[in-house]
């Protein structure tokens, strides 16, 4: 079990704008041991979101291999990836991406719909997850009835409700004021310390990055 | 799982209700047009086809296609009455009734121009032969008098104050002594009276037609053969129902063709409307779709949820249209009956089949309109969906 939770080996990723190849990652290597809380920092457009998408198998590398949570992500088939993602990956987005027509509890329940859990068990999990993020009293509120910080905490509850091993957070504080950002970062730290989650967070906010065990500075496709 | 996805669709339709109201209204209107056409057809069918009974046969002169153009002599009628296979009244009279059919011009209540109305000289036993018709007011005509009874539609549309009214038919004055209801059939638009008096009023010595009530359903063959082989008769034998069905085919076809052409054109618009609405829904929820895919939902699940929303819009529209159809049931229309050139009134008639067709139509249209946007939603590349601007 000394295998890293996430590993990039000589990964190259380019996009094509018309005929022009735009390299985002060049010969990128990264190894994150299980249980580590790593922040990747870099300016906007440097490829931070791309890294997360590659880990989750939402995007494919141009070359190289990516391992995460025991599988070689870059070689899995689409349908298997979807199932694997539901089990092992929790996503925290900058804009929360809550579904406005669903309540907090229903939003958190979404990932569990992909599991075999019965309704009663799902409810238990949802309540536990929302309890963990301190929103037990907001179960039946709709996103628009919540503050930004509360919305992001619902987003975090949704990310952890199916108990994934890896949390991927994309600028989780990017839309929050200082105190809400601090609450969210304290929460992520707790998830790392108490639940031993492997957390890969990308951000350009140095204050947020300071909560991580380790900070990686990243620019122009390479680590500096 | 189904429950949450279901409320997801319902609430999404609800949240975008300002847009969806227009879509639903449009589709409901188109569905209502279709339903109205179907109801029109049903009403016409009822008025015409249901006028004829399977147990009656209608005799016309060979070559005549309508009662108006036909003629049957008194001695021919006498021969017919003696044939076997004819039902009898309790008094032992054969239910073989010669009738004279004439057209009169009558002023419609509240309208400027008069319309043609069928006057049928017949025998009181006609009520035994035509179970659709029952006297609802007044009394039957006395034989040998110029009393008449009028169909429910005549009472409503031509003679609203009609009871006791006097009418000039032929060379005589007639008095309305009763009203009968014929359950929406063509007889509702007729005036009935004594056949001998009507012949005298018009100076005619032959009937138009002769209707026979069969003693039992199989008697048709027997009578058809007996009449066909008798060289004195030269009459054609038809089941009364077939006679009226033939009359209705041209009219029903015309109305259906017209109605379905309109429905077709409107349906095209409704499909486009539905497509636009759902493209809008997909566009405004692009990032949400990306998020669901990132959680592990399949593109099939996305497809299903958007189609479900379309179908919901369709179901709502269909139900609204059916509600409208229920109200339309109380509408009575009149048209020229092309076989008699008389006015025929009929009610728009709602049937279970037309309800099902309308619902299927609304669902089908919404599904057709919903497929392209749902496919777009299902095929969105996850990474670019996640980068889409917020809602
Ligand atoms: N699907 C795509 N097609 C073309 N270019 C893309 C695509 N996705 C991202 N990019 C480009 O890749 C670069 C890195 O994007 P991203 O990973 O989102 O950066 P960050 O998250 O650090 O802001 C940006 O310049 C962006 O425009
Ligand atoms: Mg980014």
């Amino acid at each position: 079990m000394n295998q890293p939770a996430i590993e990039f080996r000589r990964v190259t990723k380019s996009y094509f704008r018309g005929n022009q190849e735009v390299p985002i990652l060049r010969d990128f290597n990264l190894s994150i041991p299980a249980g580590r809380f790593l922040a990747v920092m870099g300016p906007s457009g440097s490829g931070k979101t791309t890294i997360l998408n590659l880990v989750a198998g939402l995007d494919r590398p141009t070359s190289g291999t990516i391992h995460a949570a025991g599988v070689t992500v870059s070689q899995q088939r689409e349908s298997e990836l979807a199932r694997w993602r539901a089990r092992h990956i929790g996503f925290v987005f900058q804009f929360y991406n809550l579904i406005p027509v669903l309540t907090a509890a229903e939003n958190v329940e979404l990932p569990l719909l992909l599991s075999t859990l019965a309704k009663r068990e799902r409810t238990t999990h949802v309540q536990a997850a929302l309890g963990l993020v301190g929103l037990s009293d907001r179960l039946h509120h709709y996103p628009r009835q919540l503050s930004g910080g509360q919305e992001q905490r619902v987003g975090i509850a949704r990310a952890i409700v199916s108990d994934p091993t890896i949390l991927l957070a994309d600028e989780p504080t990017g839309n929050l004021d200082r105190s809400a950002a601090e609450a969210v970062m304290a929460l992520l730290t707790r998830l790392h310390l108490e639940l031993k989650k492997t957390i890969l967070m990308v951000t350009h906010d140095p204050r947020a990055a300071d909560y991580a065990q380790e900070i990686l500075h990243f620019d122009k496709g390479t680590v500096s | 799982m189904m429950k949450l996805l279901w409320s997801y669709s319902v609430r999404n339709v609800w949240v975008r209700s300002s847009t969806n109201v227009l879509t639903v209204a449009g589709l409901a209107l188109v569905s209502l047009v279709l339903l109205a056409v179907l109801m029109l057809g049903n009403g016409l069918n009822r008025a015409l086809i249901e006028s004829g009974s399977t147990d009656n046969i209608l005799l016309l002169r060979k070559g005549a296609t309508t009662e108006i153009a036909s003629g049957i002599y008194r001695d021919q009628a006498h021969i017919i009455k003696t044939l076997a296979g004819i039902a009898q009244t309790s008094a032992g009279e054969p239910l073989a009734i010669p009738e004279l059919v004439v057209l009169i011009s009558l002023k419609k209540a509240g309208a400027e121009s008069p319309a043609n109305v069928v006057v049928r000289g017949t025998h009181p036993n006609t009520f035994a032969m035509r179970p659709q018709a029952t006297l609802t007011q007044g009394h039957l005509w006395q034989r040998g008098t110029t009393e008449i009874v009028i169909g429910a539609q005549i009472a409503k549309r031509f003679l609203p104050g009609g009871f006791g009214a006097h009418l000039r038919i032929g060379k005589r004055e007639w008095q309305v002594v009763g009203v009968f209801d014929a359950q929406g059939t063509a007889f509702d638009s007729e005036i009935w009276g004594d056949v001998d008096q009507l012949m005298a009023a018009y100076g005619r010595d032959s009937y138009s037609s002769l209707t026979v009530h069969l003693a039992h359903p199989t008697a048709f063959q027997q009578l058809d053969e007996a009449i066909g082989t008798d060289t004195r008769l030269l009459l054609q034998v038809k089941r009364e129902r077939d006679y009226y069905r033939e009359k209705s085919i041209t009219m029903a076809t015309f109305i259906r063709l017209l109605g379905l052409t309109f429905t077709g054109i409107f349906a095209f618009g409704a499909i486009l409307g539905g497509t636009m609405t759902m493209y809008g829904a997909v566009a405004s929820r692009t990032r949400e779709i990306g998020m669901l895919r990132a959680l592990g939902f399949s593109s099939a699940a996305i497809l299903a949820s958007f189609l479900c929303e379309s179908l919901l819009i369709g179901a709502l529209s269909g139900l609204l249209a059916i509600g409208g159809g229920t109200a339309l049931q109380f509408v009575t229309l009149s048209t020229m009956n092309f076989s008699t050139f008389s006015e025929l009134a009929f009610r728009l008639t709602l049937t279970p089949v037309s309800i099902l067709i309308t619902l299927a139509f609304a669902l089908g249209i919404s599904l057709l309109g919903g497929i392209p946007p749902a496919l777009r939603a299902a095929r969105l590349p996850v990474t670019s969906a996640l980068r889409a601007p917020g809602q």
Side-chain angles (χ1 to χ4, degrees):
Chain A
M1 281 311 289
N2 278 334
Q3 206 186 1
I6 299 172
E7 188 174 31
F8 280 60
R9 265 196 225 143
R10 310 203 56 187
V11 171
T12 301
K13 175 69 185 174
S14 324
Y15 288 113
F16 286 87
R17 279 209 191 94
N19 282 334
Q20 204 188 338
E21 188 175 350
V22 185
I24 309 294
L25 300 180
R26 253 174 281 144
D27 234 353
F28 181 69
N29 292 295
L30 177 68
S31 179
I32 307 175
R36 180 68 57 93
F37 181 179
L38 175 73
V40 173
M41 287 196 69
S44 184
S46 58
K48 302 186 297 295
T49 299
T50 302
I51 291 176
L52 297 186
N53 288 344
L54 287 170
V55 173
L58 298 174
D59 210 348
R60 304 263 180 192
T62 310
S63 69
T65 51
I66 297 160
H67 300 278
V71 301
T72 307
V73 182
S74 43
Q75 285 168 8
Q76 295 285 308
R77 275 192 292 121
E78 194 65 49
S79 55
E80 283 166 5
L81 270 179
R83 219 172 311 137
W84 166 83
R85 220 163 27 233
R87 284 264 306 283
H88 296 282
I89 304 289
F91 253 110
V92 181
F93 303 93
Q94 174 177 359
F95 299 105
Y96 334 128
N97 287 350
L98 301 181
I99 292 183
V101 299
L102 299 183
T103 62
E106 287 167 334
N107 267 289
V108 174
E109 189 181 348
L110 279 173
L112 298 180
L113 296 183
L114 298 162
S115 72
T116 53
L117 293 180
K119 174 73 193 169
R120 183 152 355 121
E121 298 168 283
R122 294 205 301 267
T123 309
T124 316
H125 282 72
V126 167
Q127 283 169 352
L130 279 168
L132 197 66
V133 302
L135 289 175
S136 291
D137 53 344
R138 295 287 188 278
L139 292 178
H140 304 298
H141 285 57
Y142 285 90
R144 70 179 132 62
Q145 299 168 320
L146 301 173
S147 70
Q150 289 172 328
E151 278 193 85
Q152 189 57 297
R153 274 144 67 199
V154 174
I156 291 172
R158 181 182 60 195
I160 59 171
V161 73
S162 51
D163 198 23
T165 45
I166 297 175
L167 285 186
L168 302 175
D170 193 349
E171 318 246 14
T173 58
N175 249 31
L176 300 178
D177 60 34
R178 174 93 67 85
S179 68
E182 278 168 3
V184 161
M185 288 318 302
L187 181 57
L188 285 179
T189 308
R190 257 185 73 205
L191 294 178
H192 160 239
L193 292 178
E194 292 173 19
L195 301 181
K196 308 281 182 264
K197 300 290 181 201
T198 306
I199 302 179
L200 173 54
M201 176 180 77
V202 302
T203 182
H204 60 252
D205 174 6
R207 263 190 243 275
D210 276 341
Y211 283 82
Q213 277 176 302
E214 189 184 343
I215 303 176
L216 209 69
H217 290 272
F218 174 82
D219 198 11
K220 301 267 174 350
T222 45
V223 183
S224 58
Chain B
M1 160 127 184
M2 287 328 288
K3 195 170 154 246
L4 183 53
L5 290 189
W6 172 248
S7 37
Y8 173 59
S9 296
V10 173
R11 287 184 215 162
N12 271 316
V13 170
W14 179 248
V15 160
R16 287 170 53 82
S17 54
S18 50
T19 326
N20 287 329
V21 157
L22 284 177
T23 319
V24 168
L27 182 51
L29 218 59
V30 177
S31 308
L32 186 59
V33 169
L34 172 72
L35 183 57
V37 170
L38 295 175
M39 290 173 71
L40 216 69
N42 294 339
L44 263 182
N45 269 355
R46 193 174 176 80
L48 288 168
I49 297 178
E50 300 285 321
S51 299
S53 316
T54 36
D55 288 345
N56 289 345
I57 59 175
L58 180 70
L59 304 182
L60 298 177
R61 178 172 54 79
K62 272 222 161 73
T65 53
T66 65
E67 286 182 285
I68 301 272
S70 166
I72 292 183
Y73 297 109
R74 285 175 192 275
D75 48 347
Q76 290 178 314
H78 280 299
I79 297 170
I80 302 287
K81 285 182 183 178
T82 64
L83 295 176
I86 299 174
Q88 298 197 334
T89 62
S90 47
E93 297 171 279
L95 273 178
I97 300 176
E99 294 180 324
L100 176 65
V101 175
V102 297
L103 288 177
I104 60 165
S105 185
L106 208 59
K107 203 169 121 37
K108 211 180 200 171
E112 281 305 308
S113 54
N116 283 338
V117 167
V118 169
V119 180
R120 184 179 295 273
T122 180
H123 185 280
N125 282 344
T126 193
F127 283 93
M129 201 167 63
R130 296 186 167 120
Q132 318 95 312
T134 43
L135 199 72
T136 52
Q137 278 181 59
H139 59 85
L140 278 184
W141 65 90
Q142 293 291 306
R143 294 203 59 194
T145 69
T146 53
E147 292 176 339
I148 47 175
V149 295
I150 58 178
Q153 289 298 337
I154 299 290
K156 198 163 115 195
R157 304 163 72 82
F158 289 88
L159 300 164
F163 219 39
H166 289 265
L167 281 183
R168 188 158 185 89
I169 301 173
K171 293 193 216 80
R172 297 195 177 175
E173 285 287 330
W174 304 69
Q175 193 191 359
V176 178
V177 296
V179 177
F180 64 93
D181 182 280
Q183 293 176 25
T185 62
F187 299 130
D188 270 334
S189 301
E190 293 188 356
I191 296 175
W192 290 358
D194 185 80
V195 64
D196 294 318
Q197 291 300 312
L198 194 64
M199 286 169 84
Y202 278 87
R204 300 268 278 267
D205 59 355
S206 64
Y207 303 112
S208 302
S209 63
L210 196 152
T211 306
V212 171
H213 193 57
L214 297 173
H216 42 87
T218 50
F220 179 79
Q221 288 288 339
Q222 187 186 354
L223 273 162
D224 191 20
E225 247 175 66
I227 294 166
T229 51
D230 193 323
T231 51
R232 295 166 298 176
L233 292 178
L234 291 173
L235 298 176
Q236 46 173 328
V237 179
K238 263 190 186 146
R239 285 190 192 272
E240 194 187 26
R241 202 178 181 80
D242 292 338
Y243 170 79
Y244 282 103
R245 180 177 291 136
E246 284 164 24
K247 299 292 142 217
S248 78
I249 283 175
T250 14
M251 279 174 73
T253 311
F254 173 71
I255 286 185
R256 291 219 171 95
L257 213 69
L258 196 75
L260 294 181
T261 308
F262 271 110
T263 310
I265 295 167
F266 291 160
F268 187 70
I271 292 179
L272 282 184
T275 307
M276 289 309 154
T277 308
M278 291 312 292
Y279 269 135
V282 173
S284 71
R285 274 151 56 196
T286 299
R287 221 171 57 205
E288 182 175 310
I289 295 163
M291 180 277 292
L292 287 169
R293 296 293 307 281
L295 290 188
F297 282 91
S298 64
S299 49
I302 305 291
L303 187 80
S305 96
F306 275 92
L307 288 182
C308 183
E309 277 176 46
S310 292
L311 286 174
L312 215 63
I313 289 175
L316 244 106
S317 311
L319 291 177
L320 271 177
I322 290 163
T326 317
L328 281 184
Q329 281 187 104
F330 302 103
V331 173
T332 304
L333 295 178
S334 65
T335 177
M336 177 72 89
N337 184 342
F338 291 110
S339 56
T340 56
F341 295 103
S342 62
E343 185 166 277
L344 173 69
F346 60 95
R347 253 167 79 159
L348 295 182
T349 308
L350 196 61
T351 61
V353 173
S354 46
I355 288 178
L356 286 181
I357 291 176
T358 305
L359 209 54
F361 172 82
L363 289 174
I365 292 288
S366 62
L367 193 62
L368 272 181
I371 285 173
L375 279 178
R376 173 183 289 182
R379 287 180 181 158
L380 281 174
V382 184
T383 50
S384 37
L386 279 172
R387 286 173 207 268
Q391 24 221 338

